[in-house]
């Protein structure tokens, strides 16, 4: 099950960039939606309708897609308005359906404790979940985590699997924040909230048992974008930089015609029509899609901390994530990218049923551990998790213990 890994070099010689003007992008987005009406929308593998023609999924990943489409009757997101789309079954619901079919519990696995807090955002308080490795003793490093969902749908609870996996494998406290979503709060509300959350964490890491001198960013999809863009904003604001960035299949560009958009145009968990739908609701005007906070591949990436990129083969965002790795390397930023064959967008948090997810969490968790701890604990094997230390009780933010 080994998947290809590329350590990008800083002497990248260049690729032709397919960055679009805002007007052209808006036209392409409208065309993508108009060519896939609700009754003929791209169908995931196993759902009646237009068959998926890309690379096959691994059987365990396919089982989740089948549960979503055949059992939970997932409808095309882009055929709905945002309010209705948020009521749809999620990839996590598909994972739980597979667990039930296997006679296994759907409760969170052992390895972390969780509590809910509230932190200040850019325009009011934001709910957040704190994941702490079970038995770990602090102060521990902290990973500020941003969920996916195209900045329009989903929340921290939908993406809790990825946050838990990072906490376990990095042996770090994870603070997962619910930023404001579009269209109720259009761009750049999400990016403003992410930076506000980081400002809060720099001053209040001790309130969650964390060490403010050892912070990393992580996120999936839209959250993978926020992990990188928030580091850019911190750099430009003169704030301390995080020690590392974990960006899992990030939204990194604005081009709907890359190679992966073509070979996964009707992908099983993310497709061109859905990305066009996100790009319809997120910006205030089409010009926002050219902003470097969204279009990371066109941004100034110099001076960022080391970056780890997790990629899925069956994902329309695959190509822009690869281009982001190349651009980071060209800017002198240490970066490693690893791609899992037979995996779909959204796979990362599904380690309960998808083997690739467990591998991805272990690999990226090890990268975070190395950045946050520097070396393994005394007497431990290289790459081993550090030994637990007593964790102080939480102070400051409002907290309620859970599980």
């Amino acid at each position: 099950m080994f998947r290809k890994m590329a350590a990008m070099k800083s002497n990248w010689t260049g690729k032709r960039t397919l960055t679009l003007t805002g007007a052209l992008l808006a036209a392409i987005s409208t065309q993508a939606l108009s060519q896939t009406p609700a009754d003929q929308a791209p169908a995931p593998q196993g759902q009646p309708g237009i068959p998926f023609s890309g690379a096959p999924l691994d059987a365990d990943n396919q089982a989740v897609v089948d549960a979503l489409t055949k059992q939970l009757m997932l409808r095309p997101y882009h055929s709905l308005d945002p309010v209705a789309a948020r009521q749809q079954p999620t990839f996590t619901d598909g994972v739980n359906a597979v667990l039930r079919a296997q006679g296994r519990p759907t409760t969170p696995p052992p390895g972390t404790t969780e509590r809910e807090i509230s932190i200040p955002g850019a325009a009011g308080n934001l709910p957040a979940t704190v994941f702490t490795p079970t038995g770990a003793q602090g102060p521990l490093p902290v990973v500020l985590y941003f969920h996916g969902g195209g900045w329009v749908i989903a929340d921290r609870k939908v993406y809790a699997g990825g946050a838990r996996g990072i906490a376990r494998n990095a042996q770090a406290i994870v603070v997962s924040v619910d930023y404001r979503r579009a269209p109720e709060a259009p761009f750049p509300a999400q990016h403003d909230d992410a930076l506000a959350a980081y400002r809060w964490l720099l001053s209040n890491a001790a309130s969650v048992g964390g060490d403010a001198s050892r912070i990393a960013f992580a996120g999936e999809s839209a959250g993978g974008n926020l992990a990188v863009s928030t580091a850019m904003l911190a750099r430009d604001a003169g704030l301390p930089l995080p020690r590392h960035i974990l960006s899992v299949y990030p939204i990194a560009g604005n081009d709907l015609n890359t190679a992966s958009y073509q070979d996964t145009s009707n992908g099983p968990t993310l497709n061109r029509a859905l990305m066009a739908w996100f790009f319809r609701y997120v910006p205030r005007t089409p010009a926002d899609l050219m902003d470097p906070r969204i279009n990371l591949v066109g941004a100034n990436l110099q001076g960022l901390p080391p970056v780890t990129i997790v990629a899925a083969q069956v994902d329309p965002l695959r190509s822009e994530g690869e281009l982001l790795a190349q651009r980071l390397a060209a800017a002198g930023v240490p970066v490693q990218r690893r791609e899992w064959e037979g995996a779909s967008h959204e796979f990362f948090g599904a380690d309960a049923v998808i083997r690739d997810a467990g591998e991805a969490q272990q690999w990226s968790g090890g990268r975070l551990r190395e950045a946050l701890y520097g070396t393994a604990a005394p007497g431990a094997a290289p790459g081993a998790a550090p030994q637990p230390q007593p964790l102080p009780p939480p102070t400051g933010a409002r907290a309620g213990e859970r599980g």
Side-chain angles (χ1 to χ4, degrees):
M1 295 286 289
F2 176 73
R3 314 305 188 196
K4 57 184 177 181
M5 177 167 61
M8 313 306 298
K9 298 180 180 179
S10 61
N11 62 346
W12 177 65
T13 56
K15 260 189 186 178
R16 184 170 68 89
T17 305
L18 298 175
T19 303
L20 307 175
T21 66
L24 182 55
L25 179 62
I28 289 177
S29 299
T30 301
Q31 182 183 36
L33 287 169
S34 66
Q35 290 178 345
T36 52
D39 60 347
Q40 297 179 15
Q45 291 176 328
Q47 178 177 321
I50 302 173
F52 174 64
S53 57
L57 294 177
D58 291 341
D60 51 8
N61 199 319
Q62 182 67 58
V64 179
V65 171
D66 288 345
L68 268 173
T69 57
K70 297 179 179 179
Q71 180 179 342
L72 301 177
M73 305 305 292
L74 179 70
R75 297 170 60 192
Y77 281 93
H78 71 269
S79 68
L80 307 170
D81 64 42
V83 174
R86 292 168 190 157
Q87 305 305 311
Q88 286 258 84
T90 67
F91 200 79
T92 298
D93 293 323
V95 169
N96 288 336
V98 171
L99 287 171
R100 285 191 291 269
Q102 295 174 349
R104 297 166 59 197
T106 60
T107 52
T112 60
T113 59
E114 304 170 22
R115 51 196 172 94
E116 301 300 317
I117 65 172
S118 176
I119 68 173
N125 286 342
L126 304 172
T129 303
V130 178
F131 299 85
T132 303
T134 301
Q137 301 176 355
L140 295 177
V142 185
V143 177
L144 181 59
Y145 171 88
F146 305 108
H147 68 78
W151 301 298
V152 176
I153 58 176
D155 56 25
R156 71 194 190 286
K157 295 181 180 179
V158 171
Y159 282 83
R164 289 188 190 105
I166 292 169
R168 290 193 308 269
N169 288 284
Q171 282 294 289
I173 293 166
V174 174
V175 178
S176 179
V177 180
D178 268 358
Y179 49 83
R180 288 171 292 162
R181 296 177 299 190
E184 295 88 347
F187 174 85
Q190 303 74 33
H191 295 75
D192 291 345
D193 280 347
L195 182 61
Y198 182 44
R199 289 183 184 275
W200 175 86
L201 188 59
L202 285 171
S203 299
N204 295 275
S207 72
V208 296
D211 177 358
S213 70
R214 293 183 292 162
I215 295 176
F217 294 164
E220 296 178 53
S221 195
N225 168 286
L226 289 173
V228 176
S229 61
T230 304
M232 291 165 39
L233 293 171
R235 174 201 63 195
D236 295 346
L239 297 174
L241 289 177
R243 291 199 180 186
H244 201 85
I245 300 168
L246 169 61
S247 187
V248 180
Y249 32 72
I251 298 175
N254 58 21
D255 182 2
L256 301 181
N257 283 313
T258 65
S260 58
Y261 267 109
Q262 294 179 45
D263 66 37
T264 319
S265 63
N266 62 333
T269 53
L270 182 66
N271 52 57
R272 181 188 283 130
L274 179 52
M275 280 304 304
W277 185 84
F278 289 144
F279 283 164
R280 169 190 288 181
Y281 286 111
V282 170
R284 297 160 299 186
T285 70
D288 281 341
L289 298 176
M290 302 297 294
D291 190 289
R293 288 169 287 185
I294 290 178
N295 187 39
L296 297 178
V297 297
N300 171 18
L301 301 171
Q302 292 184 343
L304 296 186
V307 178
T308 295
I309 297 177
V310 169
Q313 180 187 27
V314 185
D315 183 0
L317 303 182
R318 185 187 73 243
S319 294
E320 62 199 65
E322 184 175 11
L323 180 57
L324 176 62
Q326 294 167 344
R327 291 293 172 83
L328 285 164
V333 177
V335 57
Q336 285 196 22
R337 173 185 182 273
R338 185 171 169 184
E339 179 178 313
W340 272 262
E341 297 177 1
S344 71
H345 191 86
E346 300 287 350
F347 85 99
F348 183 78
D351 59 305
V353 297
I354 296 178
R355 178 178 175 182
D356 283 352
E359 290 182 3
Q361 290 179 10
Q362 290 170 14
W363 177 68
S364 55
R367 297 268 297 161
L368 286 168
R369 276 205 318 273
E370 183 179 356
L372 293 170
Y373 286 95
T375 59
Q387 298 299 312
Q389 303 288 328
L391 185 67
T395 59
R398 298 195 302 272
E401 292 295 329
R402 183 169 75 86

